[in-house]
Amino acid sequence: MTHFEQVDKRRLFDGMIDPSLDLFTEINRLKKEKNAVLLAHYYQDADIQDIADYIGDSLGLAQQAEKTQADMIVFAGVHFMAETAKLLNPNKKVVIPDLAAGCSLADSCPPDAFKAFKDLHPGHVVISYINCTAAIKALSDIICTSSNAIKVVESVPANVPIIFAPDKNLGRYISKQTGRDMVLWDGSCMVHEIFSEQKIVQLKAQYPQAKVIAHPECETAVLNHADFIGSTTGLLKYATKQPYESFIVVTESGILHQMQKAAPQKQFIPAPPNNNCACNDCPHMKLNTIEKIYLCMLNETPEINIPAHLMQPALKPLKRMLEISAQAGL
Ligand code: 13P
Ligand code: SF4
């Protein structure tokens, strides 16, 4: 970010933030003073990733939240991720820099409609992707993330039918990988559905040596062009550890920061969306800023709270996911 952009951003917080403060120093001071931990998803802006205590994908963040000794969790991610941290830490304070940081995928699955859908398929085990609200988690048997979805599906006996929600693209991909027929909820992520198959094909022609790496939230037509498909952490590991020099990266652009940091000699080409906007930036993730992180740590608000009646039912399938992941060494 340029100096002028920074000054411009600061103006939004006129009167709330002393302009002479160095917010990186202040955030580090508040972490110590309040015994707070700053957890950030890979889709956060680079400056947030650089000041976080832990950066990870949805599974890594849930595992960190489960084991943290901090008194306060500051979640630089979206609402369902902070909710997950709260479910795992009912007695700790969990704050999020911007309460409006939602998720199109979580929004695509309202609890009443999902309950009716579930009732139409009695006897099915419900596996829900972690990108859903606490109310949906409470209606589920096991939670999964893109890192452990195959193991979670395989944990269900072969003769038991499965509902997979809310991401139909991930569900379709996992169904193909495991050979399990699943009833899919019709939800999707606005960021991963925007990639243009045609532009990816053009890029492949332009960079014939480049490996195409994609997140399983993308549509099948896009995934069909991928050399490797994986969760955010899976993509990072593949891109940095495999002996290839260039990659067309088909996921949210935030991950490129860690790829470039880990392998500065390699080339990472962000896959283009199907129009001219910066749509491979998640608008929800990008609501968080350093200024908002500072203010939420200082004021300990906005705080994440979950209705009491959802706490236990939503925690149970989440714990099951963490057990399966631990058994699988994930
Ligand atoms: P992972 O963190 O599991 O890769 O999921 C990506 C995502 O869309 C998070 O919102
Ligand atoms: Fe939700 Fe997609 Fe944004 Fe992830 S990238 S938070 S799934 S809208």
Side-chain angles (χ1 to χ4, degrees), residues 72-124:
M72 179 163 81
I73 299 172
V74 184
F75 215 110
V78 292
H79 194 268
F80 76 80
M81 295 179 174
E83 256 188 358
T84 301
K86 183 66 182 180
L87 288 169
L88 295 165
N89 295 279
N91 300 320
K92 289 185 180 173
K93 187 171 270 191
V94 178
V95 292
I96 184 164
D98 191 323
L99 207 47
C103 166
S104 69
L105 183 49
D107 290 348
S108 71
C109 195
D112 287 349
F114 188 63
K115 169 81 174 60
F117 180 77
K118 204 180 138 174
D119 290 346
L120 286 176
H121 302 95
H124 285 57

Side-chain angles (χ1 to χ4, degrees), residues 43 78 80-81 102-106 131 189-192 217 252 282 284-285:
Y43 296 169
V78 292
F80 76 80
M81 295 179 174
C103 166
S104 69
L105 183 49
N131 300 35
C189 158
M190 62 189 281
V191 180
H192 287 90
E217 284 176 28
E252 213 270 358
C282 171
H284 309 289
M285 289 276 184

Side-chain angles (χ1 to χ4, degrees), residues 117 121 124-129 144 149-158 160-186:
F117 180 77
H121 302 95
H124 285 57
V125 162
V126 178
I127 300 180
S128 294
Y129 191 32
C144 73
I150 291 177
K151 295 281 177 205
V152 169
V153 168
E154 285 173 349
S155 76
V156 178
V160 178
I162 297 173
I163 291 176
F164 190 94
D167 189 0
K168 62 179 176 192
N169 293 317
L170 177 67
R172 213 180 285 123
Y173 170 70
I174 299 298
S175 174
K176 226 195 253 169
Q177 294 298 303
T178 57
R180 293 289 290 267
D181 242 352
M182 302 193 291
V183 180
L184 305 180
W185 178 263
D186 186 12

Side-chain angles (χ1 to χ4, degrees), residues 44 52 208 219 266:
Q44 293 296 285
E219 289 177 318
K266 293 190 179 187

Side-chain angles (χ1 to χ4, degrees), residues 24-243:
F24 291 90
T25 309
E26 286 304 303
I27 289 170
N28 281 328
R29 181 181 65 74
L30 288 167
K31 278 188 201 169
K32 284 203 193 95
E33 195 179 295
K34 302 194 178 206
N35 187 26
V37 67
L38 175 56
L39 305 181
H41 191 270
Y42 285 127
Y43 296 169
Q44 293 296 285
D45 279 334
D47 53 357
I48 298 178
Q49 293 189 35
D50 288 345
I51 199 170
D53 297 299
Y54 176 83
I55 326 158
D57 68 357
S58 304
L59 177 61
L61 288 163
Q63 289 168 327
Q64 287 295 316
E66 189 188 31
K67 67 180 184 205
T68 186
Q69 297 297 315
D71 294 319
M72 179 163 81
I73 299 172
V74 184
F75 215 110
V78 292
H79 194 268
F80 76 80
M81 295 179 174
E83 256 188 358
T84 301
K86 183 66 182 180
L87 288 169
L88 295 165
N89 295 279
N91 300 320
K92 289 185 180 173
K93 187 171 270 191
V94 178
V95 292
I96 184 164
D98 191 323
L99 207 47
C103 166
S104 69
L105 183 49
D107 290 348
S108 71
C109 195
D112 287 349
F114 188 63
K115 169 81 174 60
F117 180 77
K118 204 180 138 174
D119 290 346
L120 286 176
H121 302 95
H124 285 57
V125 162
V126 178
I127 300 180
S128 294
Y129 191 32
I130 201 164
N131 300 35
C132 65
T133 59
I136 296 298
K137 287 186 175 72
L139 290 167
S140 308
D141 297 299
I142 323 177
I143 300 303
C144 73
T145 75
S146 50
S147 287
N148 60 20
I150 291 177
K151 295 281 177 205
V152 169
V153 168
E154 285 173 349
S155 76
V156 178
N159 59 341
V160 178
I162 297 173
I163 291 176
F164 190 94
D167 189 0
K168 62 179 176 192
N169 293 317
L170 177 67
R172 213 180 285 123
Y173 170 70
I174 299 298
S175 174
K176 226 195 253 169
Q177 294 298 303
T178 57
R180 293 289 290 267
D181 242 352
M182 302 193 291
V183 180
L184 305 180
W185 178 263
D186 186 12
S188 58
C189 158
M190 62 189 281
V191 180
H192 287 90
E193 277 212 325
I194 203 112
F195 293 108
S196 153
E197 184 195 357
Q198 196 191 351
K199 289 186 188 168
I200 290 170
V201 171
Q202 284 165 2
L203 263 184
K204 273 180 85 159
Q206 201 181 335
Y207 300 95
Q209 306 301 329
K211 294 286 168 198
V212 177
I213 58 174
H215 196 283
E217 284 176 28
C218 296
E219 289 177 318
T220 309
V222 164
L223 292 181
N224 285 342
H225 295 280
D227 296 294
F228 178 77
I229 297 168
S231 74
T232 315
T233 300
L235 299 180
L236 178 62
K237 280 193 187 148
Y238 182 87
T240 54
K241 302 247 167 18
Q242 292 296 315

